[in-house]
Amino acid sequence: MGRVAGVTAAETRERLLRAAADAFAARGYDGTRVADIAAAAGVSNGALYAHFGSKAELLVAALRAHARRVLADLVDAEPERSLADLLLIAGRCLPRPRDTRGDLIVEALAAARRDGDVAKPMRDYVGERVDGVADLLRAPRGGGELDPTLSPRALSYLCFLLAVGSALVPPDLLAVDEEEWAALLARLASAVVAPAESAPDESAPDDAAPTQSTLTDGTPKTGDTQ
């Protein structure tokens, strides 16, 4: 069984990626055979290897194609939303049930700990994910941008850890009150957003008296207000 008649190479590749994502998420990396993925996609093993050089390469390719990217997708869908809003919306999605492909990242990370063939492409993948979201966090959004004293990459890394943790501990294992979770997220989001600049007080005269200042020895300067 080779390539299905009337199906393009790109369509065959997409079939393989979908079949791989479902299989790896359901049975794990070690429990999934290449032959099972090929059969689910309706192609031969040879056709699979024409697109992917190894099972490890197929795993990471499936992750790139079908992993959940809540924050990145929100940025694309809601370009006018403030950063605080985006973080809050993405965070509220984390404890909610998801399809089985949401477990793919957990299986891939677990495989990377055991298998050196998986570890290297997974390092590349995680770096791409963290750096990609960091770039989104750096982009101007017309208000409510990231506090310049914070590292976009560090915040992106935190978001990635939260996403992985939510996949590892789904709501059927441990549920959290949605209102309490939302209140916590709102506090965290407000902490990472740049503080609004205070508007100048137009009622104050331009030559308003300065506040008390001191000389280097701590003595008040002559003429300063007390």
Side-chain angles (χ1 to χ4, degrees), residues 11-25:
E11 290 170 337
T12 298
R13 179 182 174 85
E14 178 58 26
R15 282 189 180 192
L16 287 166
L17 290 173
R18 289 184 179 278
D22 290 337
F24 288 133

Side-chain angles (χ1 to χ4, degrees), residues 31-57:
T32 298
R33 301 184 307 162
V34 167
D36 296 332
I37 296 172
V43 302
S44 66
N45 286 7
L48 183 151
Y49 282 115
H51 289 273
F52 304 100
S54 66
K55 187 168 79 164
E57 181 183 330

Side-chain angles (χ1 to χ4, degrees), residues 12-222:
T12 298
R13 179 182 174 85
E14 178 58 26
R15 282 189 180 192
L16 287 166
L17 290 173
R18 289 184 179 278
D22 290 337
F24 288 133
R27 298 193 291 274
Y29 181 74
D30 295 333
T32 298
R33 301 184 307 162
V34 167
D36 296 332
I37 296 172
V43 302
S44 66
N45 286 7
L48 183 151
Y49 282 115
H51 289 273
F52 304 100
S54 66
K55 187 168 79 164
E57 181 183 330
L58 179 54
L59 170 65
V60 179
L63 193 59
R64 282 194 172 96
H66 296 293
R68 298 177 85 224
R69 294 175 177 82
V70 176
L71 185 57
D73 290 344
L74 273 173
V75 170
D76 291 339
E78 303 279 357
E80 302 304 319
R81 287 270 193 178
S82 70
L83 177 59
D85 284 347
L86 293 174
L87 292 173
L88 185 57
I89 295 169
R92 294 190 74 161
C93 292
L94 293 180
R96 295 174 184 169
R98 68 201 69 196
D99 61 38
T100 56
R101 288 178 192 164
D103 300 330
L104 188 56
I105 183 63
V106 174
E107 297 299 336
L109 289 171
R113 291 177 61 87
R114 300 187 300 267
D115 191 320
D117 290 338
V118 180
K120 183 183 183 306
M122 277 301 294
R123 280 194 296 270
D124 294 339
Y125 170 77
V126 172
E128 290 170 10
R129 284 287 302 271
V130 171
D131 288 340
V133 172
D135 289 341
L136 296 175
L137 296 175
R138 291 186 186 98
R141 303 196 61 81
E145 297 167 11
L146 183 66
D147 188 326
T149 64
L150 297 177
S151 162
R153 198 168 192 270
L155 177 57
S156 176
Y157 180 61
L158 175 62
C159 292
F160 180 78
L161 293 181
L162 288 172
V164 172
S166 71
L168 188 61
V169 186
D172 58 329
L173 289 182
L174 179 65
V176 63
D177 182 87
E178 287 196 7
E179 291 186 3
E180 293 175 352
W181 179 246
L184 174 61
L185 291 174
R187 179 72 62 86
L188 293 175
S190 66
V192 302
V193 172
E197 294 184 2
S198 301
D201 185 356
E202 297 180 356
S203 64
D206 293 339
D207 58 349
T211 57
Q212 177 172 312
S213 57
T214 60
L215 299 174
T216 55
D217 63 358
T219 305
K221 293 179 181 178
T222 303

